[in-house]
Amino acid sequence: MEENFNPVARTRANYYTPGSPVQFVCVELLKGDVSGEHAVCLTFKNISKVTLTALEIHFKCKGVDGVILCEDRFEYRDLEVKPGEMFGMDDAVFVTSKAITSVDVSLCNVYNGKRVVHLDAIKRVRLPAPKRLSAELEKALEVRMNRPELKYQPQVFENGWYCACGAFHPKEEDTVYCSECGCDRILLQNALNTLLQPEQPAQTEPELETPLAPQPEQEEPTRIMGAAPVQPAQEEPTRIMGAPRRPQPQEPAAEPTRMLDDGMREQFPDRAARAQAEEGTRVMPAASRRAQPVAQQPEPDYEDNEEYEDERDSVAETLIRWVPPITAVICAAVALCGFVYYQFVL
């Protein structure tokens, strides 16, 4: 007599086998509508690039008190599983009237025609538990992605990634599309990031009125960053630039008149005598004297410079005194000679 089995519970695998061409996906517990017995069905997925023809597994079923109810090997034969397809959900590996609490599955051998891959020695890796979304965020994500049963937060790990539907895709699968719900991993993550951001008030132009009713948001799978509000340009007061003030030439400071004191007269007697013979008072500039320290100006150099200036002044005074009379005498002699030549010779 045929009997219908209805699904009672479904649990995803919490571990995977690294490097295997096939992965254990989930375990389902079915109950017969006539006998009331429980049937255990396992689901696997081909994550390789070739077609699989057979699979050998080892399973272990435990009851409520932790007692092993069944431990055996099971073979899936005469398969033709394409890459990315799932299989095994229609075959019951164990049927019992007792309640089952857990099922442990180990992959043994995978066949591709005559080629076989042995997986007994590969150590299984336990997966972290997926993070459950809040009820509000779950509904918002389902509406935005237009997919049902998106209950978990998408996560990316070193060995694979979790989809929002709870399916785990190992890195050997090498895909960004979920084979169970069809979501794109990148679009799914962008949609969730958009929902997690706090809502920003609608930005309007300064002269427009703010609408009373909120505008409905457009459903976009890709996150779009809003542009920054444009600030109106503020008029800057006119600045009056005055004419630049030209620097005024500074007049040289008047230098005091240097007088020969008694000490200087005794040290330089010739200089004092010449100073008395000249007319007026001679002014000596003191700026050049102050520019250098006194220690760097020895007295012999100072005396030589003064004597050189005095000799030059005496020559100039002599020329100024005698050149005009001599010039006048020469001009008179030339005129007299010319007059005599024109009067007596011609």
Side-chain angles (χ1 to χ4, degrees), residues 116-314:
V116 59
V117 180
H118 302 285
L119 305 174
D120 304 79
I122 298 179
K123 184 179 180 180
R124 296 176 300 176
V125 177
R126 183 169 295 275
L127 298 174
K131 299 180 180 179
R132 187 68 182 267
L133 297 174
S134 63
E136 297 179 356
L137 194 58
E138 176 185 340
K139 294 180 180 179
L141 185 61
E142 291 178 355
V143 171
R144 182 172 290 272
M145 296 300 298
N146 195 20
R147 296 283 194 281
E149 301 296 327
L150 301 181
K151 302 179 181 180
Y152 303 96
Q153 179 179 350
Q155 296 175 275
V156 180
F157 303 98
E158 182 181 359
N159 50 10
W161 60 281
Y162 266 123
C163 181
C165 66
F168 178 76
H169 301 272
K171 63 180 181 180
E172 290 83 4
E173 192 172 359
D174 192 18
T175 180
V176 295
Y177 297 97
C178 180
S179 57
E180 298 189 30
C181 67
C183 287
D184 186 318
R185 177 175 61 86
I186 300 177
L187 297 181
L188 184 63
Q189 188 65 50
N190 290 342
L192 182 61
N193 293 340
T194 304
L195 295 175
L196 291 176
Q197 288 184 350
E199 296 183 358
Q200 299 180 358
Q203 299 173 358
T204 57
E205 296 294 335
E207 64 273 8
L208 298 181
E209 296 181 356
T210 303
L212 298 180
Q215 300 296 328
E217 298 181 356
Q218 298 181 356
E219 298 182 359
E220 295 288 342
T222 306
R223 175 183 172 189
I224 300 177
M225 301 297 295
V230 179
Q231 299 294 338
Q234 299 181 359
E235 296 183 359
E236 186 177 356
T238 304
R239 299 177 61 186
I240 300 176
M241 302 298 295
R245 181 177 297 176
R246 298 181 179 178
Q248 299 294 334
Q250 299 181 359
E251 297 181 357
E255 298 181 356
T257 303
R258 298 183 60 188
M259 304 298 294
L260 294 176
D261 53 2
D262 296 338
M264 293 297 291
R265 295 177 184 275
E266 295 177 358
Q267 186 175 1
F268 305 101
D270 298 338
R271 180 179 175 186
R274 288 195 299 269
Q276 293 178 0
E278 295 177 357
E279 296 179 358
T281 302
R282 185 181 178 195
V283 179
M284 299 296 294
S288 60
R289 305 292 182 181
R290 292 193 299 267
Q292 297 181 359
V294 178
Q296 297 180 0
Q297 297 180 0
E299 292 299 334
D301 295 342
Y302 172 79
E303 184 177 358
D304 295 341
N305 293 337
E306 292 297 334
E307 292 178 357
Y308 173 77
E309 292 179 358
D310 294 343
E311 293 176 358
R312 184 179 58 184
D313 294 342
S314 60

Side-chain angles (χ1 to χ4, degrees), residues 113 201 211 247 292 319 336:
Q292 297 181 359
L319 292 177
L336 180 60

